[in-house]
Amino acid sequence: MGKLRIGVLISGSGTNLQAIIDAIEAGELDAQIALVLSSRPDAYGLKRAADAGIQTVSLNRDVYADKEAADALIAQTFKQAGAEYLVMAGYMRMVGPIVLGAFEDRVINLHPALLPSFKGAHGISDAFDFGVKVTGVTVHFANAEYDKGPIIAQRAVPVLEDDTLETLEARIHEVEHELYPWVLGHLAAGDIAIDPQTRRVHIANT
């Protein structure tokens, strides 16, 4: 059995991409990044990938003007690169039905809150502004409904009395950088399965 080949989608600085790269290089994650695709040509994550010798592709706003064509291009690009799973790491666009069909139950997303609470692009600030005492990080399979796919793993992050939004964000990102490689490690080991009836995710050897 060869290394798990993953494709990573980014839009920004790529800190979670870097955490995955670091876990692979440290021998903690038996996987290979086949390709990094960015929705923005100026995303710093592209430099992180290039520095690690990983193939990159960057798209721009014009490509996304036709959502279906962009979706088809993304699916084809990752298929040609030999990606088995797609990993969204700060990708700020919703993947469409063509990608989800090409990689059925094989598109993974990271969300900085405990789903189903605080969906959307502002999960950290929404939770902080609401005054919750506990928030966290969720890794889930993506589906056609935004932030509603089957949950793979979650980790709680307490909101401290003296927290600011910035200090809470920093601690959530620390947990993201631990949890995402952990999930991918179990994926690479074949430990993760979705029950076809309940759609619940089960992780063996935990």
Side-chain angles (χ1 to χ4, degrees):
M1 181 176 175
K3 291 180 181 294
L4 179 73
R5 288 177 61 83
I6 60 175
V8 182
L9 297 96
I10 64 170
S11 294
S13 65
T15 58
N16 278 298
L17 167 64
Q18 188 66 57
I20 296 167
I21 291 171
D22 291 346
I24 291 171
E25 291 182 347
E28 298 166 358
L29 172 55
D30 191 24
Q32 179 182 4
I33 301 176
L35 175 73
V36 171
L37 182 145
S38 174
S39 64
R40 292 173 46 196
D42 61 344
Y44 186 74
L46 290 169
K47 183 180 186 303
R48 296 180 188 272
D51 288 347
I54 299 166
Q55 180 185 354
T56 64
V57 170
S58 62
L59 307 182
N60 58 40
R61 190 175 298 175
D62 294 340
V63 174
Y64 288 99
D66 185 333
K67 291 182 180 180
E68 188 170 306
D71 207 31
L73 176 62
I74 291 167
Q76 179 186 31
T77 300
F78 279 117
K79 284 288 187 182
Q80 288 177 341
E84 300 168 83
Y85 280 80
L86 302 189
V87 176
M88 291 192 280
Y91 185 66
M92 300 309 292
R93 291 181 177 270
M94 188 172 180
V95 295
I98 296 175
V99 171
L100 293 172
F103 293 89
E104 186 174 3
D105 289 337
R106 289 181 291 136
V107 181
I108 299 171
N109 188 41
L110 178 75
H111 184 73
L114 294 176
L115 294 176
S117 298
F118 307 110
K119 299 182 181 73
H122 307 289
I124 300 175
S125 59
D126 288 347
F128 183 79
D129 291 344
F130 197 82
V132 299
K133 300 303 182 184
V134 178
T135 183
V137 176
T138 302
V139 180
H140 67 99
F141 286 107
N143 63 11
E145 297 183 79
Y146 200 70
D147 290 336
K148 282 193 73 173
I151 291 172
I152 303 171
Q154 293 181 304
R155 191 169 294 175
V157 176
V159 181
L160 307 179
E161 288 298 323
D162 60 350
D163 260 332
T164 63
L165 178 59
E166 290 71 26
T167 59
L168 178 61
E169 282 181 339
R171 291 208 322 285
I172 284 178
H173 292 325
E174 286 178 4
V175 172
E176 289 176 349
H177 300 161
E178 295 172 0
L179 186 60
Y180 224 178
W182 182 88
V183 166
L184 295 176
H186 281 285
L187 193 69
D191 292 339
I192 296 177
I194 304 177
D195 186 297
Q197 267 70 50
T198 66
R199 302 296 292 167
R200 288 180 178 270
V201 177
H202 300 281
I203 307 177
N205 302 314
T206 58

